[in-house]
Amino acid sequence: MKPTTIQDLSDFNELFATISSENIKYFPVRHHSPACSYFLKHYIQKLEPDYILVEGPHHFSHLIPQITDDDLKPPFAIYTTFENKKTKQGEEGRQSSFYPFCDYSPELVALRAGKEIGAHMEFFDLGFPEQIENERTFYGNTPKLGALIDDVYLRRSVYLQSLAKNAGCRDEDELWDHWFESRVKPDEPANIEHTLQFINHVAAYCAMARRDYTDEMLQAEGTFAREKFMAERIAELIDSVAVDDTNILIVTGGFHTIALPRLVKKHKKLSKIRKSPECDNYLIQYSFDQIDRLSGYGAGMPSPYFHQLNWDYINKKISEPPVSTLLTEIARQSTKKKLDQKISTADTIQALVQANTMASLKGRKAVTREDIFDAVRSCYVKGSIEIEGLRILEIAKNTLSGDRIGQLPSTVSLPPVLQEFKRHCESLGIKLDQVHRKRWVLDIYRKTKHQKISRWLHCLNFIGSPFARLVSSPQFFSGSSIKLTQEEWEISWSPLVDSHLIDLSIHGVSIKEICLYRLKERQSALVQTGESRDAMAMVTLLVEICRMGIQETMDTLMGDIQVVLNEEENLVHQISALQQLLMLGSLKPLLNLTSLAGVEEIYVLCYQRICYLLRLIITDDTDYIREILQNLSTMRELIVASDAETELSDNDSTIDRQLLIDSLEHRLSEKPMLYPVLYGAYFGLLYGLGQKTDRELTDTINVQFLSAYSKPAERVGFFYGLISTHRDLLWHHEDIIKTLSDLLEQWSDHEFLTLLPEVRLVFSELTPNEIDRVAENISDIHNTAPIGTLYHDDINDEILMWNVNLSMQVSEILNKQGLGDWISQGKK
Amino acid sequence: MVSATNIIRQPYESLYKDELEALKVNDKDLKPEGWLLSPKSVRKFILGSSDELKYKNKKIQVSQKFYGDSGLIDRCIVTLMSNRALMLVGDPGTAKSMLSELLAAAISGQSSNTIQGTAGTTEDQIYYSWNYALLIAEGPSENALIPAPIYLGMKQGHLVRFEEITRCAPEIQDALIGALSESQLKIPELKHQDTIFAKRGFNIIATANLRDRGVNEMSSALKRRFNFETVMPISDTQVELELVQKQAQQLLVDINLPSELDQDILNLLVTTFQDLRFGKTEEGHAIDRPSTVMSTAEAVSVAYSAALEANYFNNGVLKPGGLVKQLLGTAIKDNKDDIKKVQQYFEIVVKQRGKKSKLWKDFYNSRKYLDIQ
């Protein structure tokens, strides 16, 4: 079906006639436009229609009594959601959308005005599921915006862009504000002439915008399907009432107002209404911040707070025009945020004058938001707009946008989960009336109240709610210092928090129930992916459960973990699991005693298993070995910590250190011999545990260095492993350095050069401080004077190596010719 | 368009005399006191208009003179109507002075009340000084007084232009505070008429170059009395192309040289400038920006010089190589690193484009002119 197209100017008159015919009147609106709301309200009051049809999915109609409740304070939204059974590729099963409403939204104003005159009211657009189906992936990944999509047509119109330029406006937004929004002044009440003129102008405006769209585009976006549906509903209504005595008012986006009258006229018969999936529709709180963001998607009107103030002003609820309130507020905010540039009262006065002058210069009756921004640019910025201006403009943008959140009356039905959430927030003193980030530091070891909050937040986190974010949590500490550590959270509410909970509400009536559901999901997922064999993944899950304070499923999980730990062959995984379990120890306060016992059992099991694997390990996979090295120091820390604890508490430690010692010793003496790096690591551990003497140490080093490994890495390997588990040997144990020094001197130049990279590697992980200490030791041993600067900037590596090689070659030649003395004189 | 003259540069009120007269005659809107044109007409004068104005049996079309954000012009005009002065800031070569001159020509009918800010600017050059011979001979009198721009501006109710205000010593800058806040000038030497009260229409347009000395050194008392407007470099290639073409052509016409400039070569020039100015090519590469400002004014200068060279030395044929030679003069103002960056640009971006376009290939092949070692 072809929509109306305007061929020449005379078509306009025809258009105007069709939208304001005898008993059936159309009112074209732009969503979230205060000017449209103003004239619409006046129109309804004058016309007193019997029926009002409002654009919006028809399944919203039953919410109208709640929407028109006096206790409902915008901004709010209707959140609609359904399960999409036939999932095409990549489409999620669940589809949802927000339909926001503000005080000044024409749809809301129409419903409120209609309630006052007792009109029969309905939403009459195509249902949300059908809209999804019809619309191909035109908007890609942007969230579904419901009714606001219509505005996108206006923004994208090429015609309107050039019209804007001719009118001296920057873009289509400013053009709309200039022509329509600034028409209203509180001291000039609306009369019917103005209203009719307004209707016609908006219609003409939208008609011109519609010219830029081809039928194909409109078809693809699902517009035709919606207009067809709406036209049929109108026709149905006309047929069912005595038209001559009934007034019908149809409120839709202006883009559709152009097409509907003709479609209604041409309509022949009603199409069958297909069965569509059931939608759930909820009223939820919404925020100005979110509404402002929609303009980033090309829909809606930006700066909601500005429009709210305007609305209040033209309805005489406030006496100050928005421009003065806002400019003052921006100045105040800049002082509050401690900007370098202080904005004085004189500046504010100047800005006010500037805004008003700008408006009158452009021939507007009222100041638009662009005028306010221009005033800020001119008067509040003392410097370049790209440098000094950035912050103040951001403040201006945020001030005009606002941070208001709507309030729902208590009679609104919410899913139990959401109700529980809100009650809990209230009891904790979290006010959900502003979109602010809040930092929370929880003292989980000393305050019971904080423990409870921590559990609640972890639960929310676990189910994926955007409400809370864990900034930092205590790491493993031992002893008394643990009591001082805290958890830090960042809380911020947004409408997405509510919608997220609504989506999950099918899985439970409380947050705890939803957690259990998710838990089961995770566990079965682990089994499916084979990760259940992975001790790490399971233990991580265990830690999360403990943090949430949910004890119910712990037993089965722990049973599974035991099984897995017994089967885990990878040493690194086992050690990582142990590290996680150590962390559990720090969570003691969050658990009750019975569950703790089970955890301790696993802990011990893990430890035993590690010892077992250490005892039996046979590998020469260098990557695996490197990983092991990185984790072996954990074992040492563990022993140290447990020793400390034993001292403090007088109890027997749960860790049997002898087991570790025995395992290590056993492996050292067994064949096949350990790969040198591991050998050194084991040795270092044993030395640290007091099982090896210094003499043994030096002897072993000597043996290792002289050994017949062919690869340089292996020859130095022992040393490397040793240092990695017991670094302080380098400066505490004098003999080590001496031994190493002796060995280095024994090497030939050629050997030295070949082994140099490996030896460097050993020392490469030391911190600068540690390097200094080692250097001191070395110089002490050799009783040398300082060797001077070690860094030369003007020579690069290439030149150095070239020089070294050249020197070697020259000295070889000289030696061959019996002239070796010439060189050795230069040496020490 | 005015034909060749023997003056290097005419002030805008002479250059565009017809347009200004036509606007005045056809001006139906309200004029602020002291202004020769209404704000709407001033805007038309600066941004151009498609309307044809009747004047002395001729049809005059007002040309576009300023290329950039129209919102900026609106704000400037509103500021000049208010009791605050106007400060135009921005990188060099962004047409701040040109805009200042256009505003003065349109609003006050003359743009010569100008103070050139330098390190040696004194109060004499701002307010007034004395003819000392006459002063001693006859004593203080109005005869003996040599007016400077602020005096004249106040007396006549005209705009005063202060170029490069941040180059002046801060104490000298602060001398303006008195004039701006009191809107009057005291001349204690004269017994009668010792105060000049500024007539309506008086205001100050200052310009400041952010590259050299920023506005940080300006006292906050002085800053307070100005509305700051930032003039941005042109980001639209098409617009800049139009501008460069127009200005370069005008310069050539003024000295009676053929002014046809190859569109494609100019496009190449403008694209190069945009790339180096913003540090990003249209293919999406990020490139190292030279520290020197690659402004539109310099682009015009390169085009003009290249055309000159072509005309005088090359039988009038302008080639990409000619551009490269002139580019050197503009790109390496004080920084050897900048040549390296431009050479790098040639090696990466120009070479790449040369594979698809002969023009860019010629451009690339002329890179030898960039080596100065």
Side-chain angles (χ1 to χ4, degrees):
Chain A
M1 256 183 260
K2 268 187 147 29
T4 310
T5 50
I6 305 288
Q7 299 305 325
D8 62 61
L9 286 179
S10 63
D11 282 348
F12 276 125
N13 288 327
E14 197 192 307
L15 173 68
F16 299 156
T18 52
I19 62 177
S20 300
S21 68
E22 270 305 322
N23 298 85
I24 301 164
K25 300 214 189 304
Y26 293 80
F27 197 107
V29 300
R30 181 171 173 167
H31 304 291
H32 299 332
S33 156
C36 290
S37 300
Y38 184 75
F39 287 109
L40 177 60
K41 185 172 172 187
H42 176 254
Y43 201 50
I44 292 177
Q45 284 167 349
K46 268 273 169 328
L47 196 69
E48 293 192 344
D50 303 289
Y51 287 86
I52 303 181
L53 298 179
V54 177
E55 183 185 331
H58 60 87
H59 47 79
F60 286 176
S61 296
H62 74 277
L63 287 174
I64 290 180
Q66 291 188 51
I67 293 173
T68 49
D69 187 329
D70 286 330
D71 287 332
L72 175 60
K73 308 253 176 290
F76 65 90
I78 299 180
Y79 178 66
T80 180
T81 174
F82 75 101
E83 196 77 40
N84 196 352
K85 289 291 186 294
K86 32 176 177 160
T87 42
K88 296 179 203 156
Q89 253 173 348
E91 244 178 66
E92 265 190 26
R94 175 162 289 281
Q95 296 280 352
S96 357
S97 175
F98 294 100
Y99 285 70
F101 292 86
C102 299
D103 254 336
Y104 52 85
S105 300
E107 293 84 353
L108 182 60
V109 167
L111 292 173
R112 282 173 168 169
K115 180 183 175 190
E116 263 175 46
I117 59 169
H120 180 97
M121 303 184 286
E122 256 181 53
F123 284 103
F124 76 118
D125 197 352
L126 195 59
F128 178 61
E130 293 87 333
Q131 287 190 36
I132 294 291
E133 223 180 295
N134 282 317
E135 180 192 306
R136 299 200 201 126
T137 49
F138 192 82
Y139 296 108
N141 288 327
T142 58
K144 302 289 183 291
L145 300 169
L148 299 178
I149 285 176
D150 295 0
D151 291 349
V152 180
Y153 295 141
L154 295 179
R155 284 237 175 69
R156 283 188 280 140
S157 162
V158 170
Y159 175 81
L160 290 180
Q161 301 284 1
S162 41
L163 199 59
K165 193 163 168 244
N166 281 346
C169 294
R170 252 159 291 226
D171 53 28
E172 188 278 326
D173 271 335
E174 204 190 331
L175 181 66
W176 174 271
D177 283 349
H178 174 73
W179 273 356
F180 297 106
E181 293 308 321
S182 58
R183 270 188 207 206
V184 188
K185 284 195 101 165
D187 45 359
E188 291 175 13
N191 63 39
I192 196 65
E193 274 153 38
H194 287 159
T195 308
L196 288 172
Q197 194 180 51
F198 184 85
I199 293 174
N200 289 342
H201 285 179
V202 176
Y205 188 87
C206 294
M208 296 311 288
R210 190 152 171 142
R211 282 174 76 173
D212 286 336
Y213 291 84
T214 62
D215 289 352
E216 288 76 36
M217 287 160 91
L218 295 172
Q219 177 72 32
E221 292 173 17
T223 306
F224 280 174
R226 286 177 58 204
E227 287 172 355
K228 177 163 180 269
F229 186 85
M230 286 195 274
E232 288 186 357
R233 299 285 74 67
I234 298 172
E236 222 181 351
L237 179 62
I238 294 174
D239 285 341
S240 69
V241 299
V243 178
D244 293 334
D245 288 333
T246 330
N247 275 330
I248 303 176
L249 177 64
I250 297 150
V251 180
T252 60
F255 201 79
H256 302 301
T257 310
I258 311 302
L260 284 174
R262 207 152 176 228
L263 285 174
V264 171
K265 218 171 174 188
K266 284 173 75 169
H267 151 79
K268 297 250 166 39
K269 71 173 183 3
L270 293 174
S271 35
K272 259 170 58 183
I273 298 183
R274 279 188 4 248
K275 190 118 176 25
S276 54
E278 278 261 332
C279 257
D280 287 320
N281 311 292
Y282 297 97
L283 279 181
I284 60 168
Q285 292 168 294
Y286 214 63
S287 68
F288 272 167
D289 175 53
Q290 288 285 70
I291 289 177
D292 191 41
R293 294 223 210 132
L294 294 171
S295 58
Y297 299 111
M301 290 174 39
S303 306
Y305 186 54
F306 167 74
H307 291 301
Q308 179 70 50
L309 284 177
N310 233 348
W311 177 249
D312 291 337
Y313 181 60
I314 58 184
N315 284 305
K316 302 210 171 108
K317 289 211 191 102
I318 55 176
S319 54
E320 283 271 315
V323 56
S324 17
T325 316
L326 289 167
L327 285 172
T328 318
E329 180 60 27
I330 294 171
R332 225 175 52 83
Q333 284 294 327
S334 76
T335 316
K336 201 167 159 204
K337 297 216 155 71
K338 300 206 171 71
L339 250 56
D340 286 334
Q341 185 63 45
K342 296 272 181 295
I343 299 179
S344 63
T345 316
D347 289 327
T348 313
I349 296 171
Q350 184 66 32
L352 189 55
V353 169
Q354 191 94 353
N356 281 315
T357 314
M358 182 69 86
S360 71
L361 186 66
K362 301 223 170 168
R364 314 202 239 262
K365 283 202 286 189
V367 172
T368 64
R369 61 183 277 278
E370 273 302 336
D371 295 331
I372 297 180
F373 281 120
D374 271 341
V376 170
R377 285 180 191 117
S378 296
C379 303
Y380 285 1
V381 178
K382 298 294 174 208
S384 161
I385 207 145
E386 290 186 308
I387 302 168
E388 286 88 349
L390 274 182
R391 283 204 70 193
I392 188 74
L393 279 175
E394 203 190 311
I395 291 176
K397 183 177 174 303
N398 289 336
T399 307
L400 264 73
S401 166
D403 56 7
R404 190 180 292 190
I405 298 179
Q407 293 286 328
L408 302 177
S410 46
T411 48
V412 166
S413 59
L414 295 172
V417 130
L418 190 52
Q419 284 183 33
E420 183 204 83
F421 173 75
K422 290 204 189 290
R423 270 200 307 269
H424 207 138
C425 284
E426 219 182 291
S427 71
L428 291 172
I430 303 174
K431 286 209 174 56
L432 294 179
D433 59 355
Q434 285 198 316
V435 187
H436 283 321
R437 287 193 195 288
K438 197 173 157 183
R439 279 267 155 138
W440 241 352
V441 176
L442 298 176
D443 218 341
I444 57 176
Y445 297 107
R446 294 187 288 185
K447 294 190 182 154
T448 339
K449 186 176 175 205
H450 284 195
Q451 285 168 21
K452 289 200 178 122
I453 298 174
S454 164
R455 280 188 220 133
W456 180 62
L457 290 176
H458 276 292
C459 285
L460 284 170
N461 219 8
F462 186 69
I463 60 175
S465 172
F467 180 64
R469 187 176 76 89
L470 182 62
V471 176
S472 73
S473 65
Q475 299 305 308
F476 170 67
F477 286 103
S478 68
S480 54
S481 58
I482 203 176
K483 296 226 168 51
L484 299 173
T485 53
Q486 298 163 324
E487 253 184 14
E488 204 182 326
W489 290 86
E490 197 185 73
I491 316 278
S492 75
W493 181 88
S494 78
L496 296 172
V497 172
D498 283 6
S499 64
H500 175 259
L501 284 173
I502 292 176
D503 281 342
L504 290 176
S505 61
I506 49 174
H507 300 304
V509 295
S510 68
I511 291 179
K512 189 162 175 186
E513 251 188 60
I514 297 179
C515 280
L516 286 170
Y517 168 79
R518 271 273 180 264
L519 213 49
K520 286 203 185 64
E521 265 192 346
R522 282 277 288 272
Q523 279 180 269
S524 44
L526 280 181
V527 170
Q528 278 184 2
T529 60
E531 269 177 278
S532 56
R533 300 253 160 263
D534 183 349
M536 257 298 281
M538 300 212 87
V539 175
T540 311
L541 193 56
L542 180 65
V543 172
E544 283 187 65
I545 292 175
C546 290
R547 282 180 156 161
M548 294 192 283
I550 298 180
Q551 260 82 52
E552 278 88 336
T553 58
M554 263 180 83
D555 290 332
T556 33
L557 185 59
M558 288 205 282
D560 290 341
I561 292 177
Q562 288 209 1
V563 169
V564 169
L565 282 178
N566 272 323
E567 295 177 356
E568 178 65 76
E569 297 284 335
N570 185 315
L571 184 57
V572 179
H573 287 173
Q574 285 277 12
I575 299 185
S576 308
L578 189 70
Q579 284 166 337
Q580 288 278 316
L581 289 167
L582 285 173
M583 180 140 59
L584 268 184
S586 71
L587 296 174
K588 273 188 204 171
L590 298 177
L591 307 168
N592 58 42
L593 284 169
T594 46
S595 4
L596 189 59
V599 172
E600 277 214 8
E601 257 184 60
I602 299 186
Y603 180 58
V604 170
L605 174 64
C606 191
Y607 172 75
Q608 289 170 342
R609 187 83 186 136
I610 290 173
C611 293
Y612 175 72
L613 288 173
L614 283 172
R615 186 193 180 91
L616 296 179
I617 194 166
I618 299 177
T619 178
D620 56 1
D621 178 345
T622 36
D623 288 334
Y624 182 39
I625 289 175
R626 198 174 315 126
E627 272 189 318
I628 295 176
L629 276 186
Q630 281 166 358
N631 284 292
L632 266 184
S633 36
T634 309
M635 297 309 290
R636 189 182 164 203
E637 282 166 28
L638 171 63
I639 302 289
V640 168
S642 115
D643 284 351
E645 214 182 296
T646 323
E647 273 180 43
L648 281 175
S649 63
D650 277 342
N651 290 335
D652 279 333
S653 166
T654 41
I655 300 297
D656 181 5
R657 78 202 306 266
Q658 196 57 40
L659 182 61
L660 178 62
I661 294 168
D662 288 340
S663 311
L664 292 172
E665 289 278 21
H666 180 95
R667 184 63 187 88
L668 277 183
S669 57
E670 282 277 301
K671 295 264 183 304
M673 232 178 111
L674 271 176
Y675 194 73
V677 176
L678 272 183
Y679 196 90
Y682 274 48
F683 212 92
L685 273 179
L686 283 168
Y687 182 81
L689 291 167
Q691 300 303 309
K692 296 285 178 194
T693 63
D694 290 351
R695 189 63 208 273
E696 281 175 299
L697 182 61
T698 15
D699 284 344
T700 319
I701 294 177
N702 279 321
V703 165
Q704 281 289 315
F705 266 119
L706 294 171
S707 60
Y709 293 116
S710 53
K711 294 200 196 127
E714 288 173 20
R715 286 181 66 179
V716 185
F718 174 82
F719 200 64
Y720 184 41
L722 182 69
I723 299 302
S724 73
T725 48
H726 208 119
R727 197 184 282 193
D728 25 327
L729 279 174
L730 281 176
W731 51 84
H732 281 149
H733 190 108
E734 232 188 40
D735 283 350
I736 294 266
I737 294 295
K738 187 145 193 328
T739 316
L740 184 60
S741 186
D742 290 341
L743 283 168
L744 288 176
E745 283 182 25
Q746 285 171 28
W747 286 345
S748 69
D749 283 349
H750 180 79
E751 266 183 302
F752 178 74
L753 276 180
T754 330
L755 289 171
L756 182 61
E758 298 301 324
V759 179
R760 274 171 84 182
L761 196 61
V762 174
F763 292 97
S764 65
E765 298 200 0
L766 299 179
T767 67
N769 257 339
E770 290 167 346
I771 291 176
D772 276 346
R773 290 171 84 172
V774 176
E776 257 182 62
N777 268 341
I778 296 174
S779 67
D780 282 344
I781 291 171
H782 290 278
N783 293 323
T784 49
I787 34 177
T789 19
L790 290 172
Y791 288 107
H792 294 273
D793 278 334
D794 43 3
I795 307 176
N796 65 24
D797 277 353
E798 269 179 54
I799 298 177
L800 183 65
M801 287 315 290
W802 179 83
N803 192 339
V804 167
N805 277 320
L806 181 64
S807 303
M808 257 178 58
Q809 286 174 22
V810 168
S811 54
E812 262 184 55
I813 296 171
L814 286 174
N815 275 326
K816 276 203 196 126
Q817 299 186 355
L819 298 168
D821 288 344
W822 290 8
I823 317 166
S824 55
Q825 272 171 33
K827 271 195 191 157
K828 203 165 62 96
Chain B
M1 289 256 273
V2 184
S3 56
T5 70
N6 56 4
I7 306 174
I8 294 177
R9 183 154 120 49
Q10 289 187 41
Y12 288 146
E13 55 268 26
S14 312
L15 194 61
Y16 298 114
K17 188 156 176 250
D18 282 350
E19 285 188 28
L20 287 167
E21 288 296 311
L23 282 166
K24 205 191 296 185
V25 161
N26 286 288
D27 201 345
K28 305 261 182 315
D29 296 305
L30 215 56
K31 292 185 248 257
E33 208 175 317
W35 285 34
L36 292 180
L37 290 175
S38 69
K40 281 220 179 87
S41 299
V42 173
R43 191 182 193 274
K44 261 193 215 165
F45 177 65
I46 297 176
L47 293 172
S49 160
S50 49
D51 303 336
E52 276 185 343
L53 302 168
K54 285 210 186 85
Y55 174 65
K56 279 191 187 167
N57 299 322
K58 286 186 275 187
K59 286 229 172 95
I60 308 279
Q61 184 146 47
V62 182
S63 59
Q64 181 172 11
K65 299 167 193 66
F66 179 81
Y67 290 80
D69 174 24
S70 63
L72 170 70
I73 306 297
D74 291 330
R75 291 195 296 274
C76 288
I77 294 175
V78 172
T79 296
L80 289 172
M81 281 165 56
S82 75
N83 59 2
R84 277 208 182 162
L86 176 65
M87 171 79 76
L88 298 172
V89 297
D91 275 346
T94 42
K96 299 185 291 298
S97 304
M98 182 183 91
L99 182 56
S100 162
E101 204 184 323
L102 286 170
L103 286 164
I107 293 173
S108 304
Q110 56 100 332
S111 56
S112 50
N113 261 357
T114 306
I115 306 160
Q116 284 293 345
T118 67
T121 303
T122 61
E123 277 198 43
D124 285 353
Q125 291 153 330
I126 298 177
Y127 288 114
Y128 61 87
S129 59
W130 295 102
N131 175 340
Y132 290 103
L134 210 53
L135 183 67
I136 294 174
E138 294 180 9
S141 70
E142 234 188 298
N143 255 353
L145 186 132
I146 304 177
I150 298 262
Y151 182 101
L152 286 171
M154 283 188 171
K155 205 140 192 234
Q156 299 161 341
H158 281 178
L159 288 177
V160 176
R161 298 169 53 213
F162 202 141
E163 297 289 310
E164 303 289 348
I165 190 172
T166 42
R167 285 203 183 286
C168 301
E171 308 79 52
I172 301 296
Q173 292 179 37
D174 287 345
L176 280 180
I177 296 178
L180 285 173
S181 44
E182 312 290 317
S183 296
Q184 57 182 253
L185 184 57
K186 287 217 178 297
I187 308 176
E189 294 87 340
L190 295 176
K191 274 201 212 115
H192 312 285
Q193 214 199 14
D194 63 343
T195 312
I196 306 288
F197 292 99
K199 260 177 88 177
R200 286 203 186 277
F202 166 71
N203 207 335
I204 301 183
I205 307 178
T207 63
N209 187 333
L210 290 181
R211 264 303 159 116
D212 295 325
R213 256 205 236 140
V215 293
N216 296 330
E217 294 188 8
M218 220 187 200
S219 70
S220 38
L222 187 60
K223 276 197 220 179
R224 243 188 29 72
R225 288 166 170 86
F226 281 94
N227 277 355
F228 281 66
E229 293 297 339
T230 310
V231 186
M232 310 283 276
I234 303 179
S235 54
D236 187 327
T237 318
Q238 202 47 42
V239 170
E240 194 171 3
L241 180 59
E242 245 180 76
L243 183 59
V244 169
Q245 182 160 28
K246 195 169 150 201
Q247 295 209 339
Q249 277 177 344
Q250 181 60 48
L251 289 169
L252 289 167
V253 159
D254 281 350
I255 55 170
N256 274 325
L257 280 183
S259 61
E260 274 312 305
L261 291 168
D262 190 303
Q263 187 85 324
D264 292 325
I265 294 196
L266 284 184
N267 201 347
L268 183 146
L269 174 66
V270 167
T271 310
T272 305
F273 264 73
Q274 291 246 331
D275 289 345
L276 290 168
R277 180 190 306 151
F278 292 116
K280 208 159 82 143
T281 68
E282 60 181 13
E283 289 94 347
H285 310 305
I287 48 180
D288 225 346
R289 288 163 44 170
S291 64
T292 184
V293 179
M294 307 286 286
S295 74
T296 312
E298 266 116 5
V300 172
S301 173
V302 168
Y304 178 51
S305 314
L308 283 180
E309 194 216 22
N311 265 299
Y312 288 126
F313 298 112
N314 243 356
N315 298 326
V317 179
L318 177 59
K319 292 206 193 112
L323 289 179
V324 183
K325 285 189 216 167
Q326 302 307 324
L327 198 62
L328 197 64
T330 55
I332 55 150
K333 290 209 181 85
D334 34 20
N335 207 327
K336 284 237 170 75
D337 285 339
D338 285 347
I339 317 182
K340 289 208 189 90
K341 288 178 184 165
V342 176
Q343 284 171 333
Q344 181 78 337
Y345 173 74
F346 269 73
E347 287 306 323
I348 296 179
V349 183
V350 179
K351 188 171 176 181
Q352 179 90 338
R353 288 182 185 155
K355 291 187 184 145
K356 296 192 200 130
S357 150
K358 184 169 184 313
L359 211 61
W360 284 92
K361 194 158 172 224
D362 287 345
F363 197 43
Y364 177 66
N365 289 335
S366 315
R367 70 194 181 285
K368 60 180 185 285
Y369 294 118
L370 291 175
D371 289 326
I372 57 161
Q373 262 124 1

